[in-house]
C-alpha cells in the first residue's frame, strides 16, 4: 500500500501529537481496545506501537501475528489504519521504534521488557 498517495494532510495528521487506540481481538472475537502512542512510516506503510512484552495486547497478537485496527481522532478529523501486526523483539527494531516514538511524543521511560508491535497497513479509513 502506498500511504504517500494519501496526501499531505494525512501525513501531517499522523505526525501531530495524538493518542491512538489499538483494537485487537480477544479469544472468541470480542474486541480489546486500548489507548496507545503510535508512529507511522509512510514509505513502508508500517505503524509501530511500543509496549511491554507481557502486555495483553502483545500477548493477543502473539508470535503468529493478528489483524488489528489503529485509530486516532481529533475533533471531526479521524483516521483508522487496518493491517496485520507482529511482535518484534529484536533490539535494533525496538530501538528504532523508541526513536520514532520520542520524535512524535517524548522519550519513553526505560523498559527492559519492551517490544514493538509492527503493523503492515493494508487499509486506510478516515477523513483526513
Amino acid at each position: 500500500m502506498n500511504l504517500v498517495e494519501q496526501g499531505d494532510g494525512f501525513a501531517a495528521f499522523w505526525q501531530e501529537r495524538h493518542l491512538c487506540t489499538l483494537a485487537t481481538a480477544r479469544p472468541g472475537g470480542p474486541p480489546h481496545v486500548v489507548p496507545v502512542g503510535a508512529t507511522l512510516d509512510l514509505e513502508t506503510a508500517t505503524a509501530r506501537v511500543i509496549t511491554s512484552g507481557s502486555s495483553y495486547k502483545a500477548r493477543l497478537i502473539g508470535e503468529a501475528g493478528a489483524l488489528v485496527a489503529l485509530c486516532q481522532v481529533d475533533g471531526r478529523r479521524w483516521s483508522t489504519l487496518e493491517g496485520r501486526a507482529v511482535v518484534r523483539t529484536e533490539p535494533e527494531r525496538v530501538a528504532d521504534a523508541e526513536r520514532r516514538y520520542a520524535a512524535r511524543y517524548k522519550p519513553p521511560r526505560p523498559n527492559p521488557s519492551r517490544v514493538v508491535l509492527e503493523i503492515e497497513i493494508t487499509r486506510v479509513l478516515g477523513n483526513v
Side-chain angles (χ1 to χ4, degrees), residues 14 18-22 34-38 70-73 104-105:
W14 279 97
H18 297 292
L19 287 178
C20 303
T21 57
L22 178 69
V34 294
V36 296
L70 180 68
C71 180
Q72 72 177 16
V73 62
R104 185 173 189 198
Y105 300 101

Side-chain angles (χ1 to χ4, degrees), residues 95-108:
D96 176 58
E98 290 172 332
R99 281 190 295 276
R100 293 170 188 271
Y101 181 95
R104 185 173 189 198
Y105 300 101
K106 64 181 183 178

Side-chain angles (χ1 to χ4, degrees), residues 22-36:
L22 178 69
T24 54
R26 290 184 178 110
H32 175 69
V33 182
V34 294
V36 296

Side-chain angles (χ1 to χ4, degrees), residues 3-123:
L3 295 183
V4 175
E5 292 177 350
Q6 296 292 320
D8 293 339
F10 176 84
F13 187 59
W14 279 97
Q15 291 171 344
E16 297 168 8
R17 188 181 191 284
H18 297 292
L19 287 178
C20 303
T21 57
L22 178 69
T24 54
R26 290 184 178 110
H32 175 69
V33 182
V34 294
V36 296
T39 61
L40 179 61
D41 182 339
L42 297 172
E43 300 297 323
T44 63
T46 303
R48 292 174 178 84
V49 173
I50 57 174
T51 189
S52 179
S54 62
S55 69
Y56 192 50
K57 58 187 163 287
R59 289 183 286 133
L60 284 172
I61 292 168
E63 291 182 17
L67 296 176
V68 301
L70 180 68
C71 180
Q72 72 177 16
V73 62
D74 180 42
R76 300 183 83 191
R77 300 182 308 152
W78 65 277
S79 179
T80 297
L81 308 174
E82 295 178 349
R84 181 161 199 81
V86 294
V87 177
R88 299 287 188 200
T89 60
E90 300 90 339
E92 64 278 2
R93 287 185 185 259
V94 173
D96 176 58
E98 290 172 332
R99 281 190 295 276
R100 293 170 188 271
Y101 181 95
R104 185 173 189 198
Y105 300 101
K106 64 181 183 178
R109 64 175 171 71
N111 180 351
S113 66
R114 180 168 287 134
V115 299
V116 58
L117 310 178
E118 290 185 354
I119 306 163
E120 181 183 343
I121 307 304
T122 57
R123 185 173 182 205

